[in-house]
Amino acid sequence: MEKIGIIDLGSNSARLVIVNLFADGYFMVVDELKESVRLGQDMERDGFLKPARVAETIKTLKMFRKLCDASGVTRIIAVATEAVRRAKNQRSFMDEIQANCGIKIRVLSAEEEAVLVYRGVINTMDVPKGIVLEIGGGSTKIVYYNRRNMLNYVTLPFGAVTLTGLFASDGLKPEEQAAKIEEFFTQQLKQVEWLQEVDPEVQMIGVGGSFRNLFKISKMVHKYPMDTVHNYKMPVEDFTPIYDMIKVLDLDKKKKIKGLSAARADILPAALAVINSFIKYFNFDSFTFSGAGLREGIMFNQALPLTVEKPVADVLNYSLSTLVKYYDCDEKHIEHVVSLSIQLFKQLRVLHKFPRQYLRVLKVAAMMHDCGMRIKYYNHQRHSWYMIMNSTLYGVTHREIVLAAFTACCHKKEDINMYEWARYRDIVSEEDLEIVKKLGVMLRIAESLDRSHSGSIKSINCDILGDSVIMKTEIDGDASLEIRDAMTASTEFRKSFHKNLEIL
């Protein structure tokens, strides 16, 4: 295992993430530090990074260096984006950082930055065609892809910090400033010719700190029960009231908004104006948030160099495999339980009638059903529920995560906490409860059929005869423990499928 530090020096903030790289192509973030440095502030006048901003940045990078050294980081990858890219005093700035912090900064080209943002998104989201909007402090990136291939990109040389500075005027009300930014940004979009050729079925994906702050505000407004920004979907009808509320407030009132970072309060209206302009230009009715971007693009390149050429083939499977390894689960047992669960799902389809999408839910639950044992064996299904709800899972929607967590909670017995279920009523429905119970009993049987972790039951063949389901097992060795354990689920099976269960 190698521990690396990734520093992303942007126009608004500097971020450090510390990452464990595992030998078999997986990675896990183990620490993070963020500081608002406003490096790009006041650059519009003469193109120079200002001394006060440089001093603040060096102070921050010294803290980053100290944390890296204390954490046993063996290699630091530091990149800078738009503000440093445009700075006339770029060379002296980088030399000063090298001398004071011992950190070598690489300035990304606009294309390199766009490609890394794309890789962060494409390797963590199962969206076949998308247009990515990433709003930084000093630039705004738009990346268009289809069939997991990047088709085009543009980097516009202004972001939330620079737009706020450009349109700051004592004579304009806050809402008038927002309107000016919208008008300006729309004109910039009209000048990008390839945007007119974007597939009308494309999905909008939002990346960056402004989107993360927007998620926090939306979570507070709607009492959304999940803390996961990645794959959060926001209808425009939910975005518009938030934008309308924020754009008319003065700075002091904006700082009091729950969920809004005080360090971003002054620049968020500009970012929201950009989002609103983008939505109107493409006539989107919703957009999806990505919690992964440039830094994750670097992580994938470091952990899995093949992603430099092409993205991971199966986003969900890669994500699940990472967690199985990280939680030190029995991989052979997990693989066997997943196989048996899939067999049961397919052979009982005539009874449950679920579309194929629920197979993804069952797969997530099957792969992570035992991860709760990292906390405690007893009642570990409840710990697995919590870990599924709070782990970094890519390639699945929030609804699928909730369903999978409750399904995993049933793999020892039907153990659904109805108080917890009620908390997610805006994500799942009453009908979903019956789906979870059916998937849960399938997972329970599959887990029982590998009770000794020996793989003695190779396959299952189900016959549905009258009021019974006959499960015929293909066995290699003694499977009496497995069959006996699986039969303890017969009561729940009868309640869910209205059939008696026999296992031969």
Side-chain angles (χ1 to χ4, degrees), residues 1-2 20-28 302-306 312 318 321-326 331:
M1 184 187 75
E2 181 186 13
N20 284 342
L21 301 181
F22 303 109
D24 41 8
Y26 299 95
F27 66 87
M28 187 65 64
Q302 294 296 315
L304 201 63
L306 286 173
V312 294
Y318 177 86
S321 297
T322 298
L323 294 170
V324 166
K325 292 175 185 294
Y326 186 69
E331 292 184 49

Side-chain angles (χ1 to χ4, degrees), residues 410-428:
C410 295
H411 86 270
K412 282 296 180 187
K413 57 183 178 178
E414 190 177 293
D415 193 10
I416 298 174
N417 184 321
M418 294 308 297
Y419 171 78
E420 287 292 345
W421 178 265
R423 285 186 61 216
Y424 298 93
R425 60 184 177 273
D426 292 335
I427 300 175
V428 293

Side-chain angles (χ1 to χ4, degrees), residues 61-75:
L61 292 179
K62 283 181 177 178
M63 287 193 297
F64 287 1
R65 180 78 208 210
K66 182 179 180 180
L67 183 58
C68 285
D69 291 343
S71 302
V73 166
T74 57
R75 186 160 53 99

